[in-house]
Amino acid sequence: MPQQPPVRSSPTRPSRPDASMSLLTNVMDHSLDDGYAEATARKQAEGTSGMPKTVRAKLGLAVGLVLAALVVTLGAANARISAPVIAKERQELIDRIEGETTSADKLEDDIDTLRAAVSARQREALKADGGSEQADLVGLLSGATAVHGPGVKLVVDDAEEASQGGDGDPRETSGFSDTGRVRDRDMQRVVNGMWESGAEAISVNGQRLTALSAIRAAGDAILVDNKPLVPPYTVLAVGDGKQLSTRFQNSADGLYLHALQENYGVRTSISVQDDVRLAAAPSVIVRTAQPSTEKGTS
C-alpha cells in the first residue's frame, strides 16, 4: 500500500484583510457615542413631532415685545388723557393763590387805613385832654406825629459782590451765611447807635420807628414792624446834624459799621441834612400799659 504524503496544516486565513484592525474599524463604524446618538435621535423625533426650539424662542420673544409695546402705548395714552386734567388743576391752584394774594393785599391796605384813622383820633384825643403842647410832645416821642428838622442821612447797602464766608470768620460763626450782605442785627446796631447818639426820631426806608418797633429777619429779608425792606437801607434821623453824625461815627456801633465796610465791602455813606422829614408811624397801639397818676395808681 503506497504511503500517503503527510498532510500539512496551513494557517487559517482571515475572512477580511482588515480583521486585525477590529478596534480601528469599530471606532470608524461607531464614531458617535451612544449618548450623542440617543440625543440626536431625540432631537430628530422632536423636530418631526413639533416646532423647533429656535422658532419657539423667536415666537416667545416677539410676543414679549408686543406686550411691552402695548404697556408703553397704554401708559402714553393714559398720560395724554390725564395731562389736560393736571394742567387744569395746576391753573386752578395758581388762580386761587393769586386771588388769595390779592385779598391779602387788600386787607393789608384796609388795615393801614384803619390804623391811620385810629392814630388821627388818638392825636385829637391827646390835644383835647392834655393840651396842644403836651399832645405834640407825646406824638413826637411816640412816633404818632410826622416830624421834620435837621438831622443825618445814613445809607447802608450790601457789598457789590457778596461772597460766602467761612474759615472761622466771626460773622459766619454768628449765623451769617453771606459776609457781604447786610443783616437784621447790623441794622439793629445802626439804629441803636443813632438813638444813643442823640436822634429824636428815626425811620428806615420810610418806616417810622417807635418804642414798639422791631427789626427782624425773615430769610434774607430785613423786616421793620413786619414789613420787608429791600437794600439799600436809608436811615433818616432827626437831631443836631453835625453832632449826631460825629457821635455816631465815634460810637461802638459806628465803628462796627466801619468794620463791616473795611472787612466785608458793605457800602455806607453818611451826610448831614438841613431838613429831614419823617412820616408818622402807621399806628401806635398800647394794649397793656396804662397811664399812672401822681400816687402811682391809674
Side-chain angles (χ1 to χ4, degrees):
M1 181 173 181
Q3 187 175 0
Q4 295 290 331
V7 179
R8 299 181 63 183
S9 61
S10 58
T12 304
R13 297 181 63 184
S15 60
R16 290 183 58 184
D18 56 352
S20 62
M21 302 173 64
S22 60
L23 178 60
L24 181 60
T25 302
N26 187 31
V27 171
M28 294 179 63
D29 292 340
H30 304 282
S31 58
L32 292 176
D33 184 77
D34 294 339
Y36 286 107
E38 183 178 355
T40 302
R42 186 169 59 253
K43 289 181 179 180
Q44 291 176 355
E46 292 176 354
T48 57
S49 61
M51 188 178 298
K53 287 186 176 181
T54 304
V55 176
R56 285 185 293 173
K58 291 182 178 179
L59 181 59
L61 179 60
V63 173
L65 292 176
V66 171
L67 291 176
L70 182 60
V71 171
V72 173
T73 303
L74 291 176
N78 290 333
R80 190 178 297 108
I81 293 173
S82 60
V85 178
I86 295 175
K88 181 179 179 181
E89 293 178 351
R90 180 176 180 273
Q91 186 61 43
E92 289 178 353
L93 181 59
I94 293 175
D95 294 341
R96 182 178 177 183
I97 292 173
E98 291 178 350
E100 295 295 335
T101 302
T102 302
S103 299
D105 293 340
K106 184 178 182 302
L107 290 175
E108 187 174 354
D109 293 339
D110 293 341
I111 291 173
D112 291 339
T113 302
L114 293 174
R115 284 177 176 174
V118 171
S119 298
R121 293 185 180 182
Q122 286 178 342
R123 289 191 293 270
E124 292 176 0
L126 287 173
K127 291 180 180 179
D129 295 339
S132 178
E133 293 184 0
Q134 184 178 1
D136 291 342
L137 179 60
V138 172
L140 291 173
L141 297 178
S142 64
T145 303
V147 297
H148 73 95
V152 297
K153 176 181 179 181
L154 173 64
V155 180
V156 183
D157 198 359
D158 295 337
E160 292 184 0
E161 296 181 359
S163 60
Q164 296 294 328
D167 300 330
D169 182 83
R171 292 191 89 213
E172 174 65 20
T173 55
S174 299
F176 290 90
S177 60
D178 191 334
T179 58
R181 181 168 296 175
V182 179
R183 297 297 184 181
D184 58 329
R185 62 193 68 184
D186 299 333
M187 295 308 300
Q188 289 172 2
R189 295 201 61 166
V190 167
V191 170
N192 290 336
M194 283 290 181
W195 287 124
E196 185 179 0
S197 299
E200 298 174 358
I202 300 176
S203 69
V204 180
N205 282 22
Q207 293 294 321
R208 179 74 176 274
L209 301 184
T210 69
L212 304 178
S213 297
I215 300 176
R216 294 290 184 266
D220 291 333
I222 296 178
L223 306 181
V224 174
D225 294 337
N226 295 324
K227 292 190 176 181
L229 308 180
V230 295
Y233 306 103
T234 301
V235 180
L236 297 177
V238 175
D240 187 337
K242 294 182 179 180
Q243 186 177 13
L244 179 59
S245 176
T246 302
R247 285 183 177 179
F248 173 76
Q249 295 183 68
N250 293 332
S251 66
D253 298 314
L255 295 176
Y256 170 83
L257 187 60
H258 182 72
L260 296 184
Q261 181 180 7
E262 292 293 326
N263 297 325
Y264 306 106
V266 173
R267 292 169 289 177
T268 66
S269 64
I270 188 170
S271 59
V272 177
Q273 303 291 316
D274 294 333
D275 188 28
V276 175
R277 295 184 175 274
L278 306 182
S283 66
V284 180
I285 300 175
V286 179
R287 296 182 175 86
T288 305
Q290 298 292 331
S292 300
T293 61
E294 295 181 357
K295 296 182 179 180
T297 59
S298 58

